[in-house]
């Protein structure tokens, strides 16, 4: 009985760690980044993180401009065959993202899980 409870606790811990790892990969609190707003990139810092979005504060702007942003508004890179490539999110498809690699043809676009995306 004791072993079963210990195994359940370990299993629950692993599930929690797996579910929070996507947050760490997308958003890291205190990390500097750039955010797309109305066609221009602005320097920002991440102050909070959730699974699919980051709460940012813009450098040199008032706190009233702070906002939640998703990967489609962040400069990102995508893991492909062991290397990281600059890319942008085109759309979200369920729990995955349609991305376009910077400098590549649209035929190279692909749908990737959040675990392959990092902020650059």
């Amino acid at each position: 009985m004791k072993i079963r409870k210990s195994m359940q606790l370990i299993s629950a811990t692993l599930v929690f760690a797996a579910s929070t790892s996507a947050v760490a990969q997308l958003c890291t609190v205190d990390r500097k980044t750039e955010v797309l707003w109305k066609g221009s990139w602005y320097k920002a810092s991440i102050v909070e993180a959730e699974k699919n979005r980051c709460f940012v504060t813009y450098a040199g702007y008032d706190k009233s401009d702070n906002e939640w942003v998703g990967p489609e508004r962040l400069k990102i890179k995508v893991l492909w065959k062991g290397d990281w490539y600059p890319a942008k999110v085109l759309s979200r498809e369920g729990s995955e993202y349609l991305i376009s690699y910077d400098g590549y043809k649209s035929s190279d676009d692909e749908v990737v899980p959040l675990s392959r995306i990092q902020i650059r």
Side-chain angles (χ1 to χ4, degrees):
M1 201 57 130
K2 207 175 201 182
I3 293 173
R4 177 174 243 172
K5 285 187 180 186
S6 293
M7 293 302 288
Q8 288 173 338
L9 178 61
I10 290 169
S11 177
T13 302
L14 290 173
V15 168
F16 176 76
S19 67
T20 58
S21 67
V23 173
Q25 290 178 8
L26 177 62
C27 304
T28 304
V29 174
D30 294 330
R31 182 170 180 155
K32 306 276 187 238
T33 188
E34 290 185 44
V35 178
L36 185 62
W37 189 79
K38 293 190 177 184
S40 297
W41 292 99
Y42 293 86
K43 292 181 187 285
S45 296
I46 298 169
V47 294
E48 287 185 57
E50 288 185 357
K51 183 177 181 180
N52 293 307
R53 62 188 189 156
C54 313
F55 191 71
V56 299
T57 181
Y58 293 97
Y61 290 86
D62 192 69
K63 286 185 180 185
S64 64
D65 293 316
N66 294 359
E67 65 177 328
W68 286 101
V69 297
E72 68 282 351
R73 292 191 43 213
L74 298 166
K75 284 202 173 182
I76 64 159
K77 58 186 176 181
V78 176
L79 183 63
W80 188 74
K81 293 191 176 186
D83 289 318
W84 291 97
Y85 293 86
K88 64 182 169 198
V89 172
L90 299 176
S91 66
R92 184 174 176 183
E93 299 183 1
S95 62
E96 298 183 314
Y97 297 85
L98 174 62
I99 60 95
S100 176
Y101 293 100
D102 294 357
Y104 289 82
K105 299 176 195 171
S106 61
S107 60
D108 293 320
D109 294 356
E110 67 174 324
V111 176
V112 299
L114 187 59
S115 62
R116 286 184 48 203
I117 298 172
Q118 285 188 354
I119 294 172
R120 59 179 167 123

